[in-house]
Amino acid sequence: MGTGSPVDVTQELPLSDEGVLPPEQPSVWRRRRVPIITAVVVLLAGAGGLIYWLTSGSSTPTGLVVSTSVVAVTTGTIQQTVASSGTIEPASQANLNFGVSGTVTAVNVKAGQTVTAGEVLASVDTTALSEEVNAAQAQLASAEAKLASDEAASASATQVDSDQAAVNSAESSLSNAQTALNDASLTSTISGTVASVDLAVGQQVTGTGSGSTGSGSTGSGGTGSSATGSGASGTGSSGSGSSSTQIVVVATNSYIVNTTVDDTEIGQIADGDQADIVPTGSTTTDYGTVASVSLIGTQSSNVTTFPVVIDVTGDPSGLYAGSTADVSIIVKQLNNVTEVPTAAISYSSSGQATVTKVVNGSNVVTPVTVGAAQSGETQIVSGVSAGDKVLERVISFRGVGGTTGGGLFGGTGGRFGGGGGFGGGGFGGGAGGAVPVTPGGGG
């Protein structure tokens, strides 16, 4: 025997009236074990049956209801599209910097202000620049006087040529001085809205020389065209410009969408393709055309994407630079085609497509040739004509068991079960619902 606690063997045993020990009372677990195990087994068996039912290719299983409705063959438009998303950008953008160095004396605009082409946006001190112009003018006047004097004195050809070269140099210096004086005024090269201003009165700026105005913002990997503009700096780009840009002006009457398409679809897209554009959060569809398709892709996570730029048609309202949009590029469109619901088409074991025509109250299985498909509609190339009547399959689900309050997955009606909980049979009874199964309500 072990060395555990001593047992009081003198304790009186609880005998029954017949002088025998009463039967041992089973624990709560032992009392409920059998029904619980039974329920689990039934549940697993039913779930397995449901999975088999949904995935098997056998004939119509119990609970799967297939009905038909008569529909007319119609004509319509079928489009094949490539879907993507992108960023809305202004079609024109000017990144403006002073072309000369100096101290800023005036800033005439602020972000959000509307400006016109040629409008002066800011200025630098012109004192030194004006003096350079005056000096250049005096130098030119002196050179011209020397040339005139030597020509009057019949000087040698060598001397006259030297005098003429001095005049030409003075004219060039004066032209440069006048250009610098003009560049003291920073003017907008396009009409639009000021997107950003990075200037303040008293600030020292360094001239950037010649510049350009972006025309056609670029997408990732894209290339924007540019046009020379006095006082402007930078090339066509998207967004609000670099941090070194002193003033950015964007056009607000024309937009583009910068998007990308992966390597499996880029071959379907060509310049001029039509596109539907839906800004994020909007229910309005705007329209555009593909302006450019880049031949240089960017790879990420083993997927190569190519930039595509779409010109937005017209000047629709509700577009904002930097916002996103869903894009559907129409790569093929078939007009006035004969079409039927895709669910009206069946296929034989050999792959022959058929529809069931309703002719004088009789159902006639008719071979057809199918074409493109879109949004539940399929083109019929031959076999039926517009106005014919065909049968469309309508598939629904009824809870297995079929009767109210009975069956494993519920009662009558409804996809995947009735309304009850675990009472009545399996997952409940009551009138069925839609796809979601809502427990509760039963026993």
Side-chain angles (χ1 to χ4, degrees), residues 318-376:
L319 299 185
Y320 303 96
S323 60
T324 58
D326 292 326
V327 177
S328 182
I329 303 172
I330 302 170
V331 297
K332 186 175 182 180
Q333 179 167 304
L334 304 174
N335 298 316
N336 298 319
V337 299
T338 302
E339 59 184 11
V340 300
T342 303
I345 302 173
S346 299
Y347 292 88
S348 67
S349 58
S350 63
Q352 173 63 57
T354 63
V355 299
T356 301
K357 291 175 60 175
V358 180
V359 181
N360 297 325
S362 299
N363 297 336
V364 181
V365 176
T366 306
V368 294
T369 303
V370 300
Q374 177 203 12
S375 302

Short mmCIF file of all heavy atoms in Angstrom, two decimals, residues 318-376:
data_model
loop_
_atom_site.label_atom_id
_atom_site.label_comp_id
_atom_site.label_asym_id
_atom_site.label_seq_id
_atom_site.Cartn_x
_atom_site.Cartn_y
_atom_site.Cartn_z
N GLY A 318 -15.46 68.23 -60.85
CA GLY A 318 -15.23 67.20 -59.84
C GLY A 318 -13.91 66.48 -59.95
O GLY A 318 -13.70 65.47 -59.26
N LEU A 319 -12.99 66.96 -60.79
CA LEU A 319 -11.66 66.36 -60.88
C LEU A 319 -10.67 67.21 -60.11
O LEU A 319 -10.68 68.44 -60.21
CB LEU A 319 -11.22 66.24 -62.34
CG LEU A 319 -12.09 65.38 -63.26
CD1 LEU A 319 -11.44 65.27 -64.63
CD2 LEU A 319 -12.31 64.00 -62.65
N TYR A 320 -9.80 66.55 -59.35
CA TYR A 320 -8.83 67.25 -58.52
C TYR A 320 -7.45 66.61 -58.68
O TYR A 320 -7.32 65.38 -58.61
CB TYR A 320 -9.25 67.23 -57.05
CG TYR A 320 -10.62 67.83 -56.82
CD1 TYR A 320 -11.74 67.00 -56.74
CD2 TYR A 320 -10.80 69.21 -56.72
CE1 TYR A 320 -13.01 67.53 -56.55
CE2 TYR A 320 -12.07 69.75 -56.54
CZ TYR A 320 -13.17 68.91 -56.45
OH TYR A 320 -14.41 69.44 -56.27
N ALA A 321 -6.46 67.45 -58.92
CA ALA A 321 -5.10 66.95 -59.12
C ALA A 321 -4.64 66.20 -57.87
O ALA A 321 -4.79 66.68 -56.75
CB ALA A 321 -4.15 68.12 -59.40
N GLY A 322 -4.10 65.01 -58.10
CA GLY A 322 -3.60 64.19 -57.01
C GLY A 322 -4.60 63.16 -56.51
O GLY A 322 -4.21 62.24 -55.77
N SER A 323 -5.87 63.27 -56.90
CA SER A 323 -6.86 62.28 -56.48
C SER A 323 -6.78 61.05 -57.38
O SER A 323 -6.17 61.08 -58.45
CB SER A 323 -8.27 62.88 -56.50
OG SER A 323 -8.61 63.30 -57.81
N THR A 324 -7.39 59.97 -56.94
CA THR A 324 -7.31 58.70 -57.68
C THR A 324 -8.60 58.45 -58.46
O THR A 324 -9.63 59.07 -58.20
CB THR A 324 -7.04 57.53 -56.73
OG1 THR A 324 -8.09 57.47 -55.74
CG2 THR A 324 -5.70 57.70 -56.02
N ALA A 325 -8.51 57.50 -59.38
CA ALA A 325 -9.68 57.16 -60.20
C ALA A 325 -9.54 55.73 -60.68
O ALA A 325 -8.43 55.22 -60.87
CB ALA A 325 -9.82 58.11 -61.38
N ASP A 326 -10.69 55.06 -60.87
CA ASP A 326 -10.72 53.76 -61.50
C ASP A 326 -10.84 53.96 -63.01
O ASP A 326 -11.62 54.80 -63.47
CB ASP A 326 -11.89 52.92 -60.99
CG ASP A 326 -11.71 52.53 -59.53
OD1 ASP A 326 -10.56 52.30 -59.12
OD2 ASP A 326 -12.73 52.47 -58.80
N VAL A 327 -10.07 53.18 -63.75
CA VAL A 327 -10.02 53.36 -65.20
C VAL A 327 -10.38 52.04 -65.87
O VAL A 327 -9.92 50.97 -65.46
CB VAL A 327 -8.61 53.80 -65.65
CG1 VAL A 327 -8.54 53.90 -67.16
CG2 VAL A 327 -8.25 55.13 -65.01
N SER A 328 -11.21 52.11 -66.90
CA SER A 328 -11.56 50.95 -67.71
C SER A 328 -11.25 51.30 -69.16
O SER A 328 -11.96 52.11 -69.78
CB SER A 328 -13.03 50.59 -67.53
OG SER A 328 -13.37 49.45 -68.29
N ILE A 329 -10.19 50.71 -69.70
CA ILE A 329 -9.76 51.01 -71.07
C ILE A 329 -10.44 50.03 -72.02
O ILE A 329 -10.32 48.81 -71.86
CB ILE A 329 -8.23 50.91 -71.19
CG1 ILE A 329 -7.55 51.86 -70.20
CG2 ILE A 329 -7.79 51.22 -72.62
CD1 ILE A 329 -6.04 51.69 -70.12
N ILE A 330 -11.17 50.55 -72.97
CA ILE A 330 -11.91 49.72 -73.93
C ILE A 330 -10.95 49.30 -75.05
O ILE A 330 -10.54 50.13 -75.87
CB ILE A 330 -13.11 50.47 -74.50
CG1 ILE A 330 -14.03 50.93 -73.37
CG2 ILE A 330 -13.87 49.60 -75.49
CD1 ILE A 330 -15.13 51.89 -73.80
N VAL A 331 -10.59 48.03 -75.06
CA VAL A 331 -9.64 47.54 -76.07
C VAL A 331 -10.36 46.92 -77.26
O VAL A 331 -9.76 46.71 -78.32
CB VAL A 331 -8.65 46.53 -75.44
CG1 VAL A 331 -7.81 47.21 -74.38
CG2 VAL A 331 -9.38 45.34 -74.83
N LYS A 332 -11.66 46.60 -77.10
CA LYS A 332 -12.43 46.07 -78.21
C LYS A 332 -13.90 46.32 -77.95
O LYS A 332 -14.37 46.14 -76.82
CB LYS A 332 -12.18 44.56 -78.38
CG LYS A 332 -12.84 43.95 -79.61
CD LYS A 332 -12.44 42.49 -79.76
CE LYS A 332 -13.03 41.86 -81.01
NZ LYS A 332 -12.65 40.42 -81.15
N GLN A 333 -14.64 46.74 -78.96
CA GLN A 333 -16.07 46.99 -78.81
C GLN A 333 -16.82 46.44 -80.01
O GLN A 333 -16.47 46.70 -81.16
CB GLN A 333 -16.34 48.49 -78.67
CG GLN A 333 -17.83 48.84 -78.54
CD GLN A 333 -18.05 50.26 -78.10
OE1 GLN A 333 -17.55 50.68 -77.06
NE2 GLN A 333 -18.82 51.01 -78.87
N LEU A 334 -17.85 45.64 -79.71
CA LEU A 334 -18.69 45.05 -80.74
C LEU A 334 -20.08 45.65 -80.64
O LEU A 334 -20.74 45.53 -79.60
CB LEU A 334 -18.75 43.53 -80.56
CG LEU A 334 -17.39 42.80 -80.54
CD1 LEU A 334 -17.59 41.33 -80.21
CD2 LEU A 334 -16.68 42.96 -81.88
N ASN A 335 -20.52 46.31 -81.68
CA ASN A 335 -21.81 46.99 -81.68
C ASN A 335 -22.87 46.16 -82.40
O ASN A 335 -22.57 45.43 -83.36
CB ASN A 335 -21.69 48.36 -82.35
CG ASN A 335 -20.73 49.28 -81.61
OD1 ASN A 335 -20.75 49.36 -80.39
ND2 ASN A 335 -19.88 49.96 -82.36
N ASN A 336 -24.12 46.28 -81.92
CA ASN A 336 -25.27 45.63 -82.55
C ASN A 336 -25.07 44.13 -82.73
O ASN A 336 -25.37 43.57 -83.79
CB ASN A 336 -25.57 46.30 -83.91
CG ASN A 336 -25.93 47.75 -83.78
OD1 ASN A 336 -26.66 48.15 -82.88
ND2 ASN A 336 -25.37 48.57 -84.68
N VAL A 337 -24.58 43.49 -81.69
CA VAL A 337 -24.39 42.05 -81.76
C VAL A 337 -25.60 41.35 -81.15
O VAL A 337 -26.31 41.89 -80.30
CB VAL A 337 -23.11 41.61 -81.02
CG1 VAL A 337 -21.88 42.25 -81.63
CG2 VAL A 337 -23.20 41.94 -79.53
N THR A 338 -25.86 40.13 -81.63
CA THR A 338 -26.91 39.30 -81.04
C THR A 338 -26.36 38.70 -79.75
O THR A 338 -25.26 38.15 -79.73
CB THR A 338 -27.32 38.18 -82.00
OG1 THR A 338 -27.76 38.77 -83.24
CG2 THR A 338 -28.42 37.33 -81.41
N GLU A 339 -27.13 38.81 -78.65
CA GLU A 339 -26.61 38.34 -77.38
C GLU A 339 -27.72 37.70 -76.55
O GLU A 339 -28.89 38.03 -76.69
CB GLU A 339 -25.96 39.48 -76.59
CG GLU A 339 -26.89 40.63 -76.29
CD GLU A 339 -26.18 41.79 -75.60
OE1 GLU A 339 -24.95 41.78 -75.54
OE2 GLU A 339 -26.88 42.69 -75.11
N VAL A 340 -27.29 36.77 -75.68
CA VAL A 340 -28.19 36.12 -74.74
C VAL A 340 -27.52 36.12 -73.38
O VAL A 340 -26.30 36.26 -73.28
CB VAL A 340 -28.52 34.67 -75.17
CG1 VAL A 340 -29.18 34.63 -76.53
CG2 VAL A 340 -27.26 33.81 -75.14
N PRO A 341 -28.30 35.93 -72.30
CA PRO A 341 -27.67 35.76 -71.00
C PRO A 341 -26.74 34.54 -71.03
O PRO A 341 -27.07 33.51 -71.61
CB PRO A 341 -28.85 35.54 -70.05
CG PRO A 341 -30.01 36.18 -70.75
CD PRO A 341 -29.77 35.97 -72.20
N THR A 342 -25.58 34.68 -70.43
CA THR A 342 -24.61 33.58 -70.42
C THR A 342 -25.22 32.33 -69.81
O THR A 342 -24.88 31.20 -70.21
CB THR A 342 -23.35 34.01 -69.65
OG1 THR A 342 -22.82 35.19 -70.28
CG2 THR A 342 -22.30 32.92 -69.66
N ALA A 343 -26.12 32.50 -68.83
CA ALA A 343 -26.75 31.35 -68.17
C ALA A 343 -27.70 30.59 -69.08
O ALA A 343 -28.19 29.52 -68.70
CB ALA A 343 -27.49 31.80 -66.91
N ALA A 344 -27.97 31.10 -70.28
CA ALA A 344 -28.84 30.40 -71.21
C ALA A 344 -28.06 29.42 -72.08
O ALA A 344 -28.65 28.68 -72.86
CB ALA A 344 -29.58 31.40 -72.09
N ILE A 345 -26.74 29.43 -71.96
CA ILE A 345 -25.90 28.61 -72.83
C ILE A 345 -25.45 27.35 -72.09
O ILE A 345 -25.03 27.41 -70.93
CB ILE A 345 -24.67 29.41 -73.30
CG1 ILE A 345 -25.12 30.67 -74.04
CG2 ILE A 345 -23.78 28.56 -74.19
CD1 ILE A 345 -23.99 31.61 -74.40
N SER A 346 -25.55 26.22 -72.76
CA SER A 346 -25.04 24.95 -72.24
C SER A 346 -23.98 24.42 -73.19
O SER A 346 -23.88 24.86 -74.35
CB SER A 346 -26.17 23.92 -72.10
OG SER A 346 -27.17 24.37 -71.21
N TYR A 347 -23.19 23.47 -72.71
CA TYR A 347 -22.13 22.89 -73.53
C TYR A 347 -22.21 21.37 -73.45
O TYR A 347 -22.37 20.80 -72.35
CB TYR A 347 -20.76 23.36 -73.07
CG TYR A 347 -20.53 24.84 -73.34
CD1 TYR A 347 -20.92 25.81 -72.40
CD2 TYR A 347 -19.95 25.26 -74.52
CE1 TYR A 347 -20.72 27.15 -72.63
CE2 TYR A 347 -19.74 26.62 -74.77
CZ TYR A 347 -20.13 27.55 -73.83
OH TYR A 347 -19.93 28.89 -74.08
N SER A 348 -22.10 20.73 -74.60
CA SER A 348 -22.10 19.27 -74.63
C SER A 348 -20.72 18.76 -74.24
O SER A 348 -19.78 19.53 -74.06
CB SER A 348 -22.45 18.79 -76.05
OG SER A 348 -21.42 19.15 -76.96
N SER A 349 -20.61 17.43 -74.12
CA SER A 349 -19.33 16.83 -73.76
C SER A 349 -18.26 17.10 -74.80
O SER A 349 -17.07 17.10 -74.50
CB SER A 349 -19.51 15.33 -73.56
OG SER A 349 -20.01 14.73 -74.76
N SER A 350 -18.67 17.36 -76.02
CA SER A 350 -17.71 17.66 -77.09
C SER A 350 -17.38 19.14 -77.18
O SER A 350 -16.57 19.55 -78.00
CB SER A 350 -18.28 17.20 -78.44
OG SER A 350 -19.47 17.92 -78.75
N GLY A 351 -18.04 19.97 -76.32
CA GLY A 351 -17.77 21.40 -76.31
C GLY A 351 -18.70 22.22 -77.16
O GLY A 351 -18.53 23.44 -77.26
N GLN A 352 -19.70 21.61 -77.77
CA GLN A 352 -20.64 22.34 -78.60
C GLN A 352 -21.58 23.18 -77.72
O GLN A 352 -22.22 22.67 -76.80
CB GLN A 352 -21.47 21.38 -79.45
CG GLN A 352 -22.60 22.04 -80.24
CD GLN A 352 -22.11 23.05 -81.26
OE1 GLN A 352 -21.32 22.71 -82.12
NE2 GLN A 352 -22.56 24.29 -81.15
N ALA A 353 -21.66 24.47 -78.01
CA ALA A 353 -22.56 25.35 -77.28
C ALA A 353 -23.98 25.22 -77.82
O ALA A 353 -24.18 25.13 -79.04
CB ALA A 353 -22.09 26.79 -77.38
N THR A 354 -24.94 25.20 -76.91
CA THR A 354 -26.34 25.11 -77.31
C THR A 354 -27.19 26.04 -76.45
O THR A 354 -26.80 26.41 -75.33
CB THR A 354 -26.89 23.68 -77.16
OG1 THR A 354 -26.85 23.30 -75.77
CG2 THR A 354 -26.09 22.69 -77.98
N VAL A 355 -28.33 26.42 -76.99
CA VAL A 355 -29.37 27.09 -76.22
C VAL A 355 -30.67 26.34 -76.44
O VAL A 355 -30.81 25.61 -77.43
CB VAL A 355 -29.54 28.57 -76.61
CG1 VAL A 355 -28.26 29.35 -76.38
CG2 VAL A 355 -29.98 28.69 -78.06
N THR A 356 -31.59 26.51 -75.52
CA THR A 356 -32.90 25.88 -75.67
C THR A 356 -33.90 26.94 -76.11
O THR A 356 -34.27 27.83 -75.35
CB THR A 356 -33.36 25.24 -74.35
OG1 THR A 356 -32.40 24.26 -73.94
CG2 THR A 356 -34.72 24.58 -74.51
N LYS A 357 -34.31 26.85 -77.38
CA LYS A 357 -35.29 27.79 -77.93
C LYS A 357 -36.70 27.33 -77.57
O LYS A 357 -36.98 26.14 -77.48
CB LYS A 357 -35.15 27.88 -79.45
CG LYS A 357 -33.87 28.53 -79.93
CD LYS A 357 -33.74 28.49 -81.44
CE LYS A 357 -34.87 29.21 -82.13
NZ LYS A 357 -34.67 29.28 -83.60
N VAL A 358 -37.55 28.30 -77.34
CA VAL A 358 -38.96 28.03 -77.10
C VAL A 358 -39.70 28.33 -78.40
O VAL A 358 -39.82 29.49 -78.81
CB VAL A 358 -39.50 28.87 -75.94
CG1 VAL A 358 -40.98 28.56 -75.71
CG2 VAL A 358 -38.71 28.62 -74.67
N VAL A 359 -40.17 27.25 -79.07
CA VAL A 359 -40.82 27.38 -80.37
C VAL A 359 -42.23 26.80 -80.27
O VAL A 359 -42.40 25.60 -80.07
CB VAL A 359 -40.02 26.65 -81.46
CG1 VAL A 359 -40.70 26.83 -82.82
CG2 VAL A 359 -38.59 27.17 -81.51
N ASN A 360 -43.22 27.66 -80.37
CA ASN A 360 -44.62 27.23 -80.30
C ASN A 360 -44.89 26.38 -79.07
O ASN A 360 -45.57 25.34 -79.13
CB ASN A 360 -45.00 26.46 -81.57
CG ASN A 360 -44.91 27.31 -82.81
OD1 ASN A 360 -45.19 28.51 -82.77
ND2 ASN A 360 -44.51 26.69 -83.93
N GLY A 361 -44.32 26.80 -77.94
CA GLY A 361 -44.55 26.10 -76.68
C GLY A 361 -43.67 24.89 -76.47
O GLY A 361 -43.74 24.25 -75.41
N SER A 362 -42.83 24.56 -77.44
CA SER A 362 -41.93 23.41 -77.30
C SER A 362 -40.49 23.90 -77.11
O SER A 362 -40.11 24.96 -77.62
CB SER A 362 -42.01 22.52 -78.55
OG SER A 362 -43.32 22.01 -78.71
N ASN A 363 -39.72 23.08 -76.39
CA ASN A 363 -38.32 23.40 -76.14
C ASN A 363 -37.45 22.68 -77.16
O ASN A 363 -37.50 21.45 -77.28
CB ASN A 363 -37.91 22.99 -74.73
CG ASN A 363 -38.68 23.74 -73.67
OD1 ASN A 363 -39.18 24.85 -73.92
ND2 ASN A 363 -38.79 23.19 -72.48
N VAL A 364 -36.66 23.45 -77.91
CA VAL A 364 -35.84 22.90 -78.97
C VAL A 364 -34.38 23.24 -78.68
O VAL A 364 -34.00 24.42 -78.66
CB VAL A 364 -36.24 23.47 -80.35
CG1 VAL A 364 -35.37 22.86 -81.44
CG2 VAL A 364 -37.72 23.22 -80.62
N VAL A 365 -33.56 22.22 -78.44
CA VAL A 365 -32.13 22.42 -78.21
C VAL A 365 -31.48 22.79 -79.53
O VAL A 365 -31.56 22.05 -80.52
CB VAL A 365 -31.48 21.17 -77.60
CG1 VAL A 365 -29.99 21.37 -77.46
CG2 VAL A 365 -32.12 20.85 -76.26
N THR A 366 -30.83 23.93 -79.56
CA THR A 366 -30.30 24.48 -80.80
C THR A 366 -28.81 24.77 -80.66
O THR A 366 -28.40 25.53 -79.77
CB THR A 366 -31.03 25.78 -81.16
OG1 THR A 366 -32.45 25.53 -81.20
CG2 THR A 366 -30.55 26.33 -82.49
N PRO A 367 -27.96 24.21 -81.53
CA PRO A 367 -26.52 24.54 -81.50
C PRO A 367 -26.31 26.00 -81.87
O PRO A 367 -26.98 26.54 -82.76
CB PRO A 367 -25.91 23.60 -82.54
CG PRO A 367 -26.93 22.52 -82.73
CD PRO A 367 -28.26 23.16 -82.52
N VAL A 368 -25.36 26.66 -81.20
CA VAL A 368 -25.04 28.05 -81.49
C VAL A 368 -23.53 28.22 -81.51
O VAL A 368 -22.78 27.40 -80.97
CB VAL A 368 -25.65 29.01 -80.44
CG1 VAL A 368 -27.17 29.01 -80.52
CG2 VAL A 368 -25.17 28.66 -79.03
N THR A 369 -23.10 29.30 -82.14
CA THR A 369 -21.69 29.70 -82.12
C THR A 369 -21.57 30.95 -81.26
O THR A 369 -22.26 31.94 -81.53
CB THR A 369 -21.18 29.99 -83.54
OG1 THR A 369 -21.37 28.82 -84.35
CG2 THR A 369 -19.70 30.35 -83.52
N VAL A 370 -20.73 30.90 -80.24
CA VAL A 370 -20.62 32.01 -79.30
C VAL A 370 -19.41 32.87 -79.64
O VAL A 370 -18.45 32.42 -80.27
CB VAL A 370 -20.54 31.51 -77.85
CG1 VAL A 370 -21.77 30.71 -77.48
CG2 VAL A 370 -19.28 30.68 -77.62
N GLY A 371 -19.47 34.13 -79.19
CA GLY A 371 -18.36 35.07 -79.39
C GLY A 371 -17.90 35.64 -78.07
O GLY A 371 -17.71 34.92 -77.09
N ALA A 372 -17.78 36.96 -78.02
CA ALA A 372 -17.29 37.62 -76.82
C ALA A 372 -18.36 37.64 -75.74
O ALA A 372 -19.55 37.45 -76.00
CB ALA A 372 -16.87 39.05 -77.16
N ALA A 373 -17.91 37.87 -74.50
CA ALA A 373 -18.83 37.92 -73.36
C ALA A 373 -18.47 39.09 -72.47
O ALA A 373 -17.31 39.50 -72.38
CB ALA A 373 -18.77 36.62 -72.57
N GLN A 374 -19.49 39.64 -71.82
CA GLN A 374 -19.29 40.76 -70.90
C GLN A 374 -20.49 40.87 -69.98
O GLN A 374 -21.64 40.84 -70.44
CB GLN A 374 -19.11 42.08 -71.66
CG GLN A 374 -18.97 43.30 -70.72
CD GLN A 374 -19.34 44.60 -71.41
OE1 GLN A 374 -19.90 44.59 -72.49
NE2 GLN A 374 -19.04 45.71 -70.78
N SER A 375 -20.22 40.99 -68.69
CA SER A 375 -21.24 41.30 -67.68
C SER A 375 -22.46 40.41 -67.78
O SER A 375 -23.60 40.87 -67.76
CB SER A 375 -21.66 42.77 -67.79
OG SER A 375 -20.56 43.63 -67.62
N GLY A 376 -22.22 39.09 -67.92
CA GLY A 376 -23.33 38.14 -67.93
C GLY A 376 -24.04 38.00 -69.25
O GLY A 376 -25.05 37.29 -69.34
#
